[in-house]
Structure formats: C-alpha cells, structure tokens
Amino acid sequence: MIAVFVRALAETWRALLIWTLAISAVMMLYLSLYPSIGLDGQMMSLLETLPPSLVNTLGFDQIATGAGYAQATFYGLLGFVLPTVAAIGWGSAAVAGAEEQGRLELDLAHGISRSGYVAGQALALVARLLWLGVYAGVLLALVSAPFELDLERANIVPQTAAAVGLWLFSGSVALLVGSLTGRRAWATGAGALVAAAAFLFNGIANQRDDFDALRVFSPYSWAFHETPLSDGPSPGLWPLWIGVAVLLAGSVAALTRRDIRG
C-alpha cells in the first residue's frame, strides 16, 4: 500500500503543483477585490439589481461580510469546481485508468494485493486534496487582514474540513465506480454527476423552504449550508466524512470481487 501511495504522489506532483497555483490565482483575484467592492456597499447595490433566485442559488445573500464573501466567491464557485475536477480526474485514473492502460494487471502480478492497491490510491487521493485544502486555508488566513476580510481564524479549520470533504466525495465516487467497472469514462461521469447534482439540489433548496428536503441529498449542503467559515463546525461535517469513508471502503471491496480486464 505504501509503495502504491508514494508512486501515485510522485507521478502527479506536477499536476498538484498546477492545481495549487490555480487555487492561488483564483483566491488572490477574488479576495483582493473585497475592500473595494464589498466594504463600501457597491456589491450589495449590484446584487439588488439581480434576480433574487440567482442571488440565492449562488449564495451571494451573505456576501456583505468577509466570511460570506470568501464563501460565495471562492469556496462556493471556482474553489468548489477546480478541486472537484482534480478529484474526479485522480479518482477515475486511480483504478479504471490504470486498468485501461494495462498497468493495474502488471502491478498486481508483482505481489501487490488488490486491497492494498486501492487503499494506496485512496490514501494518495486524500493526501492531494488535503494539501489543496490546507494550502487554501493557510492562504485565506494570511490574506484575511490585508484584504480586510476580518475572519475568525478558528473557523478556517472546519471550513477546510468541509471543503476537502466535499471535493473528496466526488473523487471517491469516481474511485468507487472505477473499481466497480474498470472504465474511466463511467467513473468520470459518475463523479461529475454527483458533483453537479449536489450543487443543483443545494441551489434549488435555497429558492424556497418547500424544497429544503433536497439538502438531504446534497453533499454541497452538508458542507456549506451551516456556513462553517462564519459559524464554526456544523453537523453536516459528520455525514460528509462518513459518506467519504463508506465510498473509499466500498472501492477497496469492489476491486477484490471483480475480474480485471487484461
């Protein structure tokens, strides 16, 4: 397992560096604008001209505060999309991609157990996303004062846990489907479908109280409906991370019970 974990990280460090730089660029671009458009009321004036349904869908109703602005402009948009795309790509490549390239069969022929292979790949997926989440959290803490966000530093920890858990959920779905089918396209499609459905259900639930039940089916709502960056740890972290653990454990079980295509 450790050998698979180390090799997986070594083979993807360039991609991880690029995703890290992308997150840096997005955070600096959006968060640096807060003093000029968030504090003097220009943003709220602009939002008053937009349809309320659009504002609620994007979570811009709390944008007047530093925590709400960081949530709406980074964690709720590109800070959700970019790491989720990376997670789905890594999750689908871990087993299904290796199987389609013929590498999986070769690795298993060299004495690596199936469960150890998937566990090593799952651990690498967690490590990459944890790096992106912690990096974003540290950068957020560093720019909080210069950009006048006035964030509670203690709340950055649960916010990071929520963000990493949300990204990892879609990546774990891709890993599970890849372990079940051995087909990268199906794994990528499943991860993307779950991510899109999570965002869509949360957006619909934000429209009316009648649709609030949809939050039960949205990992996005589990992560961010209680706004951990403003209010601290939320109950939604538990189902989010339990779901991730179940998906990763299911990936290990799936590959041990399936014939591998040579």
Side-chain angles (χ1 to χ4, degrees), residues 16-255:
L16 185 59
L17 177 60
I18 291 172
W19 286 115
T20 303
L21 294 175
I23 286 177
S24 303
V26 171
M27 291 186 72
M28 297 303 289
L29 173 64
Y30 283 108
L31 300 184
S32 64
L33 297 176
Y34 181 67
S36 58
I37 65 175
L39 292 177
D40 62 3
Q42 291 185 33
M43 179 61 76
M44 294 306 298
S45 299
L46 173 62
L47 293 179
E48 290 174 356
T49 66
L50 299 176
S53 58
L54 177 62
V55 174
N56 292 333
T57 299
L58 296 178
F60 282 3
D61 52 320
Q62 302 294 324
I63 207 168
T65 66
Y69 181 86
Q71 171 63 42
T73 59
F74 175 66
Y75 285 104
L77 294 176
L78 287 179
F80 164 63
V81 173
L82 294 180
T84 298
V85 170
I88 293 171
W90 286 325
S92 62
V95 174
E99 187 169 351
E100 289 183 348
Q101 294 172 353
R103 291 184 56 181
L104 178 60
E105 188 178 29
L106 184 62
D107 287 342
L108 296 180
H110 284 78
I112 300 174
S113 68
R114 294 188 179 202
S115 59
Y117 184 89
V118 183
Q121 292 285 2
L123 189 59
L125 178 64
V126 173
R128 296 186 197 105
L129 296 176
L130 191 60
W131 160 257
L132 293 179
V134 171
Y135 177 82
V138 171
L139 188 56
L140 185 64
L142 292 176
V143 303
S144 175
F147 294 162
E148 303 179 56
L149 294 167
D150 195 25
L151 301 174
E152 292 286 344
R153 291 200 172 191
N155 290 345
I156 294 177
V157 176
Q159 177 73 10
T160 299
V164 173
L166 179 59
W167 308 334
L168 190 54
F169 196 94
S170 296
S172 299
V173 169
L175 179 61
L176 174 61
V177 174
S179 298
L180 284 169
T181 66
R183 298 182 182 277
R184 189 169 184 175
W186 291 15
T188 302
L193 180 63
V194 167
F199 188 82
L200 178 63
F201 287 171
N202 180 76
I204 294 174
N206 285 343
Q207 302 304 312
R208 295 174 53 183
D209 292 341
D210 296 342
F211 300 140
D212 205 55
L214 289 176
R215 298 192 190 282
V216 175
F217 306 104
S218 172
Y220 190 100
S221 286
W222 304 348
F224 293 140
H225 178 56
E226 301 293 336
T227 60
L229 193 56
S230 300
D231 304 323
S234 67
L237 289 177
W238 287 106
L240 186 64
W241 278 95
I242 290 174
V244 167
V246 170
L247 289 169
L248 294 180
S251 301
V252 175
L255 189 63

